Amino acid sequence: MTTENDKNIWWAARTCIGASGCLSVIMPAYGLERIIGKNIETVCGLLRGNIPFEVLPVDDGSTDQTAAVLRAAAERDPERVRPVYVKVNAGKGNALRRGFEASRGSHILLLDGDLDLSPTRVTTFFDIMLEKGAPIVIGSKRHPDSVIDYPWRRRLASGVYYTLARILVGLPVTDTQTGMKLFTREALQWAFDRMLVKAFAFDLEVLSIAHAKGFAVAEAPIEMHFGDKAGSLTWKNIRQVMTDTLAIFYRLRVLRYYESVEVAPPPSTPLTVSVVIACPAPSAYLTECLNALAAQTYPHFEVIVLPDEGGSSKGSSKVLKCESSKVPSDIAPDGAEAHNFRTSELQNFRTSPVPSETAPDGADAHNFRTLELQNFRTSPVPSETAQSADAHNFRTLELPNFRTSSNFRTSELQNFRTLELSILPTGKVRPAEKRNIGIRAARGEVVAFLDDDAYPVPNWLEHAVKYFSLPDVGGVGGPGVTPPGDPFMAQAGGRVYANLFVSGNYRYRYVGDRVRPNVDDYPSCNLFVRTDLLRAIGGYRTDFWPGEDTILCADVVLRQKKRIVYDPWAIVYHHRRPLFLPHLRQVGRYALHRGHFAKRFPETSFRLSYLIPTLFVLGIVLGAPLAFLHPWLGGAYLGALACYALVTLISSFSLSVPMWLVTWLGVMATHLVYGTRFLIGLLSRRMPCETAAFDHPAEKK
């Protein structure tokens, strides 16, 4: 029962929220299976009957049973508890942003899921927000009224970081890192639209962005009981925080990035996206990709898969649409009200367990299984959607319902959307030819090209589509990040691509970077292009592989006069070729065509960054005989090689010594192979793929 005293305590909160508002409490949780359920109930018990609210606990890719606990909490109070599931642990900043995207409140409370900060202080936060008219109120351990139980090591680290942040950023606050912050939706939306940091320096970036815009920030006292938890104060995390903090300073004070970054509004009319996936055949990677597409938060899309062959009739084409199979709400788009979600798989998949990293967010590995396709039925489809003579043999496949386990009750499976999946077998043709078939079959206003060995984050489509509300934007690209679950040598291959001395100015393709409003060359593993633009330029050139995407982007930017925008949040996880031979073969193909393109398409390929490895190789080859002519020349030659080895060794640093050494060797080997193959391409009159068809299965081991 609400007492008169309760009414007085909550008066400021009710006044701030108003008659139509709501408080969204976002609680990031990683590895909190023992306490998160109780903590959610504590927050609900505090707010229930006092103000309108919702609680959005965010499972940040936990490896324990945190996701299962969140599902149980949602079952107990489905109206107020709306979990969000993040598939891959990407840091607190990313988790909070995902929670915000799923929230509906006029005011947002960011609250650490372990509740080392007492949520009862929220009334004081609202008191200060109302009294000072501040759209942002943050908890501060340095506030004179704060009651804290905090280890001395943490106090020391907090003091050092506060001093550094004050010098670099100039925020008029005494504490940025305390995990309890209250925002108006407007203030947090402004900051989240521009933020880049996904991990530990997230708090500093959000506050810096909002303060620079003019949103006032006030501080409130907290009550902290840190207990005996280990926390995340490791040397690796400290290094990451310092790197991110310096990056925030650079973007804020030097680039003036936050005040100039382009933020596109959502399209006034929803655009349909056709996701085109060229692949040789069904595979575990393709299954993973389709599962990730099925979990997209953006509902307006179709998927077109283009394998070499399909079905029992070689060369025929098929359209696959899901029937009424259903999936638990925790596998649906993160935190969103997943209306109408269904998923599907490709023909000839056997029912087998799928690892947790391949399942949609929040799905337990042992509870999620692939589906077998069956019950082919003939259905007429226009012949212009396929290239083969057997186009009239399109057939529709039906899927059985998802298999359920003891944790999935049939009564819980509801409110999901259909994933429309078309399978168009093409025969053994190059990826460019497959994608052109996909372009002709596409019904969306935008085509998204995605490799079958890549899988997107749940809000991938949502982040990319908004830019097409700008009429001068013809394409959008996003980073292809190495999946954390890749094997050791594949991880090393990804680190080589992300190395500054390998990718240089193009490193943003492999790691999240800032928004770039004008990109003129981007790979097709994660590329969105307007459909009418693709058809106007005739799609991809089919006489090159790889490199056809370079020509396509040049057509979009130079000939059609449209921009390609890079957004660091439109992320896909792209599996890498392992070191050394598979990685170096791939690098060699890229280099060969880049060298040839430097001669044939110099507008986007004749650049110093592409030439440097070749100059390095020539220096090694030509410098070796010169080194024997004079001791001084020999010393200079060996000194240059020693400096090169030292610089690449430092740039490859990892806390894991084996990973450090393998990456270092991979960087040097990549330079040698790229430089040599680029020179061969530069001197070649024609490329091999211009005279011979490429056999996709040759990519397999």
Side-chain angles (χ1 to χ4, degrees), residues 260-302:
S260 61
V261 63
E262 183 174 39
V263 177
S268 55
T269 303
L271 300 176
T272 301
V273 181
S274 298
V275 182
V276 172
I277 305 172
C279 63
S283 66
Y285 280 161
L286 181 58
T287 304
E288 180 182 49
C289 178
L290 293 176
N291 286 335
L293 287 169
Q296 289 297 299
T297 57
Y298 186 80
H300 309 289
F301 71 99
E302 63 173 349

Short mmCIF file of all heavy atoms in Angstrom, two decimals, residues 260-302:
data_model
loop_
_atom_site.label_atom_id
_atom_site.label_comp_id
_atom_site.label_asym_id
_atom_site.label_seq_id
_atom_site.Cartn_x
_atom_site.Cartn_y
_atom_site.Cartn_z
N SER A 260 29.93 17.32 -35.77
CA SER A 260 29.78 17.36 -37.23
C SER A 260 29.29 16.05 -37.84
O SER A 260 28.96 16.01 -39.02
CB SER A 260 31.12 17.72 -37.88
OG SER A 260 32.11 16.75 -37.58
N VAL A 261 29.25 14.98 -37.04
CA VAL A 261 28.87 13.68 -37.59
C VAL A 261 27.45 13.72 -38.12
O VAL A 261 26.56 14.37 -37.55
CB VAL A 261 29.01 12.57 -36.52
CG1 VAL A 261 28.06 12.81 -35.36
CG2 VAL A 261 28.77 11.20 -37.12
N GLU A 262 27.23 13.03 -39.23
CA GLU A 262 25.93 13.00 -39.87
C GLU A 262 25.06 11.93 -39.21
O GLU A 262 25.45 10.76 -39.12
CB GLU A 262 26.11 12.68 -41.35
CG GLU A 262 24.84 12.69 -42.15
CD GLU A 262 25.12 12.51 -43.64
OE1 GLU A 262 26.02 11.70 -43.97
OE2 GLU A 262 24.47 13.15 -44.45
N VAL A 263 23.90 12.33 -38.74
CA VAL A 263 22.94 11.40 -38.15
C VAL A 263 21.71 11.37 -39.04
O VAL A 263 21.00 12.37 -39.16
CB VAL A 263 22.55 11.81 -36.71
CG1 VAL A 263 21.50 10.87 -36.15
CG2 VAL A 263 23.79 11.85 -35.82
N ALA A 264 21.49 10.24 -39.68
CA ALA A 264 20.37 10.13 -40.62
C ALA A 264 19.09 9.80 -39.88
O ALA A 264 19.09 8.95 -38.98
CB ALA A 264 20.67 9.06 -41.66
N PRO A 265 17.99 10.43 -40.25
CA PRO A 265 16.70 10.08 -39.63
C PRO A 265 16.16 8.79 -40.22
O PRO A 265 16.52 8.42 -41.35
CB PRO A 265 15.81 11.27 -40.00
CG PRO A 265 16.36 11.73 -41.32
CD PRO A 265 17.85 11.51 -41.25
N PRO A 266 15.32 8.06 -39.50
CA PRO A 266 14.70 6.86 -40.09
C PRO A 266 13.87 7.25 -41.30
O PRO A 266 13.31 8.35 -41.36
CB PRO A 266 13.81 6.32 -38.95
CG PRO A 266 14.34 6.96 -37.71
CD PRO A 266 14.89 8.29 -38.11
N PRO A 267 13.78 6.39 -42.33
CA PRO A 267 12.97 6.71 -43.51
C PRO A 267 11.52 6.96 -43.11
O PRO A 267 10.98 6.29 -42.22
CB PRO A 267 13.10 5.45 -44.38
CG PRO A 267 14.34 4.77 -43.90
CD PRO A 267 14.45 5.09 -42.44
N SER A 268 10.88 7.94 -43.75
CA SER A 268 9.48 8.24 -43.45
C SER A 268 8.58 7.07 -43.78
O SER A 268 7.59 6.81 -43.10
CB SER A 268 9.04 9.49 -44.21
OG SER A 268 9.27 9.32 -45.61
N THR A 269 8.93 6.37 -44.85
CA THR A 269 8.22 5.13 -45.23
C THR A 269 9.20 3.98 -45.12
O THR A 269 10.30 4.05 -45.68
CB THR A 269 7.69 5.22 -46.68
OG1 THR A 269 6.83 6.36 -46.79
CG2 THR A 269 6.93 3.96 -47.04
N PRO A 270 8.86 2.91 -44.41
CA PRO A 270 9.81 1.79 -44.27
C PRO A 270 10.25 1.24 -45.62
O PRO A 270 9.44 1.03 -46.51
CB PRO A 270 9.00 0.75 -43.49
CG PRO A 270 7.96 1.53 -42.77
CD PRO A 270 7.60 2.67 -43.69
N LEU A 271 11.55 1.04 -45.76
CA LEU A 271 12.11 0.46 -46.97
C LEU A 271 12.27 -1.04 -46.80
O LEU A 271 12.63 -1.52 -45.73
CB LEU A 271 13.47 1.09 -47.28
CG LEU A 271 13.51 2.60 -47.50
CD1 LEU A 271 14.94 3.06 -47.70
CD2 LEU A 271 12.66 2.99 -48.70
N THR A 272 12.02 -1.78 -47.86
CA THR A 272 12.25 -3.22 -47.85
C THR A 272 13.67 -3.50 -48.33
O THR A 272 14.12 -2.94 -49.32
CB THR A 272 11.24 -3.95 -48.75
OG1 THR A 272 9.93 -3.67 -48.28
CG2 THR A 272 11.48 -5.45 -48.72
N VAL A 273 14.36 -4.37 -47.63
CA VAL A 273 15.73 -4.74 -47.97
C VAL A 273 15.75 -6.17 -48.48
O VAL A 273 15.16 -7.07 -47.87
CB VAL A 273 16.65 -4.61 -46.74
CG1 VAL A 273 18.10 -4.97 -47.12
CG2 VAL A 273 16.59 -3.20 -46.17
N SER A 274 16.43 -6.39 -49.58
CA SER A 274 16.66 -7.74 -50.11
C SER A 274 18.09 -8.14 -49.77
O SER A 274 19.04 -7.56 -50.30
CB SER A 274 16.44 -7.78 -51.62
OG SER A 274 15.12 -7.45 -51.96
N VAL A 275 18.25 -9.10 -48.88
CA VAL A 275 19.58 -9.57 -48.47
C VAL A 275 20.00 -10.67 -49.44
O VAL A 275 19.35 -11.71 -49.53
CB VAL A 275 19.57 -10.10 -47.03
CG1 VAL A 275 20.98 -10.54 -46.62
CG2 VAL A 275 19.06 -9.03 -46.07
N VAL A 276 21.09 -10.45 -50.16
CA VAL A 276 21.57 -11.37 -51.19
C VAL A 276 22.83 -12.07 -50.69
O VAL A 276 23.81 -11.41 -50.32
CB VAL A 276 21.84 -10.62 -52.50
CG1 VAL A 276 22.53 -11.53 -53.52
CG2 VAL A 276 20.54 -10.06 -53.08
N ILE A 277 22.79 -13.41 -50.68
CA ILE A 277 23.91 -14.21 -50.18
C ILE A 277 24.36 -15.17 -51.28
O ILE A 277 23.64 -16.11 -51.63
CB ILE A 277 23.52 -15.01 -48.93
CG1 ILE A 277 22.96 -14.07 -47.85
CG2 ILE A 277 24.71 -15.79 -48.39
CD1 ILE A 277 22.38 -14.80 -46.65
N ALA A 278 25.54 -14.95 -51.84
CA ALA A 278 26.11 -15.85 -52.83
C ALA A 278 26.96 -16.89 -52.11
O ALA A 278 27.79 -16.54 -51.27
CB ALA A 278 26.96 -15.07 -53.83
N CYS A 279 26.77 -18.16 -52.44
CA CYS A 279 27.51 -19.21 -51.75
C CYS A 279 27.64 -20.44 -52.64
O CYS A 279 26.83 -20.63 -53.56
CB CYS A 279 26.82 -19.59 -50.44
SG CYS A 279 25.18 -20.29 -50.65
N PRO A 280 28.62 -21.30 -52.40
CA PRO A 280 28.74 -22.53 -53.19
C PRO A 280 27.66 -23.56 -52.83
O PRO A 280 27.10 -24.20 -53.71
CB PRO A 280 30.13 -23.06 -52.83
CG PRO A 280 30.84 -21.91 -52.19
CD PRO A 280 29.79 -21.09 -51.54
N ALA A 281 27.37 -23.71 -51.52
CA ALA A 281 26.47 -24.78 -51.08
C ALA A 281 26.05 -24.52 -49.64
O ALA A 281 26.65 -23.68 -48.96
CB ALA A 281 27.18 -26.14 -51.19
N PRO A 282 25.04 -25.24 -49.14
CA PRO A 282 24.69 -25.13 -47.72
C PRO A 282 25.88 -25.49 -46.84
O PRO A 282 26.70 -26.33 -47.19
CB PRO A 282 23.55 -26.15 -47.56
CG PRO A 282 22.95 -26.26 -48.92
CD PRO A 282 24.10 -26.11 -49.87
N SER A 283 25.97 -24.83 -45.70
CA SER A 283 27.08 -25.06 -44.78
C SER A 283 26.68 -24.62 -43.39
O SER A 283 25.66 -23.95 -43.20
CB SER A 283 28.32 -24.27 -45.23
OG SER A 283 28.08 -22.87 -45.11
N ALA A 284 27.50 -24.97 -42.41
CA ALA A 284 27.23 -24.53 -41.03
C ALA A 284 27.31 -23.02 -40.93
O ALA A 284 26.56 -22.40 -40.16
CB ALA A 284 28.23 -25.19 -40.08
N TYR A 285 28.24 -22.41 -41.69
CA TYR A 285 28.33 -20.96 -41.69
C TYR A 285 27.05 -20.33 -42.22
O TYR A 285 26.56 -19.33 -41.69
CB TYR A 285 29.51 -20.50 -42.55
CG TYR A 285 30.86 -20.61 -41.87
CD1 TYR A 285 32.03 -20.60 -42.62
CD2 TYR A 285 30.97 -20.70 -40.49
CE1 TYR A 285 33.28 -20.68 -42.02
CE2 TYR A 285 32.21 -20.79 -39.87
CZ TYR A 285 33.36 -20.78 -40.65
OH TYR A 285 34.60 -20.85 -40.05
N LEU A 286 26.50 -20.89 -43.29
CA LEU A 286 25.27 -20.34 -43.86
C LEU A 286 24.12 -20.47 -42.87
O LEU A 286 23.29 -19.57 -42.74
CB LEU A 286 24.94 -21.05 -45.18
CG LEU A 286 23.68 -20.55 -45.89
CD1 LEU A 286 23.76 -19.06 -46.20
CD2 LEU A 286 23.45 -21.34 -47.18
N THR A 287 24.06 -21.58 -42.16
CA THR A 287 23.04 -21.75 -41.12
C THR A 287 23.16 -20.65 -40.07
O THR A 287 22.18 -20.04 -39.66
CB THR A 287 23.21 -23.11 -40.43
OG1 THR A 287 23.16 -24.14 -41.39
CG2 THR A 287 22.13 -23.33 -39.39
N GLU A 288 24.38 -20.40 -39.64
CA GLU A 288 24.63 -19.35 -38.66
C GLU A 288 24.19 -17.99 -39.19
O GLU A 288 23.57 -17.20 -38.47
CB GLU A 288 26.12 -19.34 -38.34
CG GLU A 288 26.56 -18.30 -37.34
CD GLU A 288 28.06 -18.34 -37.12
OE1 GLU A 288 28.82 -18.34 -38.12
OE2 GLU A 288 28.49 -18.36 -35.95
N CYS A 289 24.48 -17.73 -40.45
CA CYS A 289 24.10 -16.47 -41.08
C CYS A 289 22.59 -16.30 -41.10
O CYS A 289 22.05 -15.24 -40.77
CB CYS A 289 24.69 -16.41 -42.49
SG CYS A 289 24.27 -14.93 -43.42
N LEU A 290 21.87 -17.36 -41.50
CA LEU A 290 20.41 -17.29 -41.57
C LEU A 290 19.78 -17.12 -40.19
O LEU A 290 18.78 -16.41 -40.02
CB LEU A 290 19.87 -18.53 -42.26
CG LEU A 290 20.23 -18.69 -43.74
CD1 LEU A 290 19.72 -20.01 -44.28
CD2 LEU A 290 19.69 -17.54 -44.56
N ASN A 291 20.35 -17.79 -39.20
CA ASN A 291 19.84 -17.62 -37.84
C ASN A 291 19.97 -16.17 -37.38
O ASN A 291 19.08 -15.62 -36.73
CB ASN A 291 20.60 -18.53 -36.88
CG ASN A 291 20.20 -19.98 -37.01
OD1 ASN A 291 19.10 -20.29 -37.44
ND2 ASN A 291 21.10 -20.88 -36.65
N ALA A 292 21.10 -15.54 -37.72
CA ALA A 292 21.31 -14.15 -37.34
C ALA A 292 20.35 -13.22 -38.09
O ALA A 292 19.85 -12.24 -37.54
CB ALA A 292 22.75 -13.74 -37.60
N LEU A 293 20.08 -13.53 -39.35
CA LEU A 293 19.11 -12.73 -40.11
C LEU A 293 17.71 -12.88 -39.53
O LEU A 293 16.93 -11.93 -39.50
CB LEU A 293 19.13 -13.15 -41.58
CG LEU A 293 20.36 -12.70 -42.38
CD1 LEU A 293 20.39 -13.38 -43.74
CD2 LEU A 293 20.36 -11.19 -42.54
N ALA A 294 17.40 -14.09 -39.08
CA ALA A 294 16.08 -14.32 -38.50
C ALA A 294 15.87 -13.50 -37.23
O ALA A 294 14.74 -13.25 -36.83
CB ALA A 294 15.90 -15.80 -38.20
N ALA A 295 16.95 -13.08 -36.58
CA ALA A 295 16.85 -12.32 -35.33
C ALA A 295 16.95 -10.82 -35.55
O ALA A 295 17.14 -10.07 -34.59
CB ALA A 295 17.96 -12.78 -34.38
N GLN A 296 16.82 -10.35 -36.79
CA GLN A 296 16.93 -8.91 -37.04
C GLN A 296 15.78 -8.13 -36.41
O GLN A 296 14.63 -8.57 -36.41
CB GLN A 296 16.96 -8.64 -38.55
CG GLN A 296 18.23 -9.06 -39.23
CD GLN A 296 19.44 -8.29 -38.73
OE1 GLN A 296 19.52 -7.07 -38.84
NE2 GLN A 296 20.39 -9.02 -38.15
N THR A 297 16.10 -6.97 -35.88
CA THR A 297 15.09 -6.11 -35.28
C THR A 297 14.29 -5.35 -36.33
O THR A 297 13.21 -4.85 -36.03
CB THR A 297 15.74 -5.10 -34.32
OG1 THR A 297 16.71 -4.34 -35.02
CG2 THR A 297 16.40 -5.82 -33.15
N TYR A 298 14.84 -5.21 -37.52
CA TYR A 298 14.15 -4.51 -38.60
C TYR A 298 13.30 -5.53 -39.36
O TYR A 298 13.82 -6.53 -39.86
CB TYR A 298 15.18 -3.87 -39.54
CG TYR A 298 14.59 -3.00 -40.62
CD1 TYR A 298 14.19 -1.69 -40.34
CD2 TYR A 298 14.42 -3.47 -41.92
CE1 TYR A 298 13.66 -0.88 -41.33
CE2 TYR A 298 13.89 -2.66 -42.90
CZ TYR A 298 13.51 -1.37 -42.60
OH TYR A 298 12.98 -0.56 -43.59
N PRO A 299 11.98 -5.32 -39.47
CA PRO A 299 11.11 -6.39 -39.98
C PRO A 299 10.94 -6.46 -41.48
O PRO A 299 10.48 -7.47 -41.99
CB PRO A 299 9.76 -6.06 -39.32
CG PRO A 299 9.78 -4.57 -39.18
CD PRO A 299 11.21 -4.19 -38.92
N HIS A 300 11.34 -5.42 -42.22
CA HIS A 300 10.98 -5.33 -43.64
C HIS A 300 12.14 -5.82 -44.52
O HIS A 300 12.91 -5.01 -45.05
CB HIS A 300 10.60 -3.90 -44.00
CG HIS A 300 9.58 -3.30 -43.09
ND1 HIS A 300 8.27 -3.70 -43.08
CD2 HIS A 300 9.71 -2.34 -42.12
CE1 HIS A 300 7.61 -3.00 -42.16
NE2 HIS A 300 8.46 -2.19 -41.56
N PHE A 301 12.27 -7.13 -44.66
CA PHE A 301 13.35 -7.64 -45.51
C PHE A 301 13.03 -9.05 -46.00
O PHE A 301 12.18 -9.74 -45.45
CB PHE A 301 14.68 -7.64 -44.75
CG PHE A 301 14.81 -8.67 -43.66
CD1 PHE A 301 15.48 -9.86 -43.89
CD2 PHE A 301 14.26 -8.45 -42.41
CE1 PHE A 301 15.61 -10.82 -42.88
CE2 PHE A 301 14.38 -9.39 -41.40
CZ PHE A 301 15.05 -10.58 -41.64
N GLU A 302 13.72 -9.42 -47.07
CA GLU A 302 13.68 -10.77 -47.60
C GLU A 302 15.11 -11.25 -47.74
O GLU A 302 16.05 -10.45 -47.74
CB GLU A 302 12.99 -10.80 -48.97
CG GLU A 302 13.72 -10.00 -50.04
CD GLU A 302 13.14 -10.16 -51.42
OE1 GLU A 302 12.28 -11.04 -51.62
OE2 GLU A 302 13.55 -9.39 -52.32
#
